[in-house]
Amino acid sequence: MFFDTWYDLLRVLVVGVLSYAGLIAVLRATGKRTLSKMNAFDFVITIAFGSVLASVMLDTTVSLSEGVLAFALLCVLQFLVAYASSRSHTFENVIKAQPSMLFFRGRYLDDALHKERVSREEVMAAARVGGLGDMDQVDAVILETDGTFSVLANAPGTNKGTLTDVTGHPGAKG
């Protein structure tokens, strides 16, 4: 239960270091976008990397070469999804969530809060994190596609062109 053999420990040590090095090599070769936190698919890929790494390290039936191939396959799949998303608006809408307006110009958007399962307290916390002490200072709070909040402060005469893709904004594109 606490110890099997020295060979098992040595295998975890050697395969762990080599599979980690293989993962780093594959990630460096595929670029920054591979581990971005842009959408649910990116999150799934990141979790899958961890699962493959654990399997290679601990499961003696999974070889190092199989693990590195699995890393490469995940990177290729992530690349293909990112490539297709950047070229097809329809595909992008299937893969990626849209940002949602939760608070706009002095009022909470309750339908959006319910749909996104966010409380008013979380919106106020996001405003505080953004350095705003009063909701009167807030023009908009958006739940981004990666689950983070963006808080836009009131500023007279500012252009809010960054809101055109946000669900719930009056000027949002269909």
Side-chain angles (χ1 to χ4, degrees):
M1 181 165 113
F2 294 107
F3 180 81
D4 283 330
T5 66
W6 287 107
Y7 172 80
D8 292 339
L9 295 178
L10 181 63
R11 182 191 178 285
V12 169
L13 182 66
V14 171
V15 172
V17 169
L18 293 176
S19 60
Y20 181 77
L23 175 60
I24 296 300
V26 169
L27 291 176
R28 292 286 295 154
T30 57
K32 297 173 190 165
R33 178 76 171 90
T34 305
L35 285 181
S36 67
K37 57 175 195 165
M38 298 298 285
N39 59 56
F41 184 76
D42 296 327
F43 176 73
V44 168
I45 290 294
T46 303
I47 298 300
F49 282 137
S51 178
V52 169
L53 184 61
S55 294
V56 170
M57 287 176 60
L58 299 175
D59 188 344
T60 58
T61 64
V62 179
S63 70
L64 178 62
S65 59
E66 290 171 323
V68 173
L69 178 61
F71 292 145
L73 176 62
L74 289 170
C75 288
V76 167
L77 290 172
Q78 198 283 336
F79 173 81
L80 292 173
V81 168
Y83 181 85
S85 293
S86 69
R87 281 158 181 75
S88 167
H89 190 63
T90 303
F91 188 78
E92 180 182 36
N93 288 338
V94 170
I95 296 298
K96 294 182 180 178
Q98 295 298 314
S100 296
M101 182 83 62
L102 303 175
F103 180 90
F104 188 64
R105 297 196 174 145
R107 66 182 189 88
Y108 291 92
L109 305 177
D110 289 321
D111 288 344
L113 289 169
H114 292 269
K115 179 181 177 206
E116 300 296 344
R117 298 177 312 281
V118 175
S119 70
R120 287 181 177 213
E121 290 76 16
E122 290 172 296
V123 172
M124 287 188 283
R128 289 190 301 271
V129 168
L132 303 173
D134 194 297
M135 292 307 286
D136 290 338
Q137 298 173 299
V138 177
D139 190 48
V141 177
I142 299 103
L143 180 62
E144 299 292 352
T145 60
D146 65 356
T148 60
F149 293 98
S150 292
V151 179
L152 302 178
N154 278 332
T158 58
N159 181 359
K160 302 292 189 211
T162 60
L163 299 177
T164 58
D165 69 333
V166 178
T167 302
H169 182 265
K173 297 174 188 173

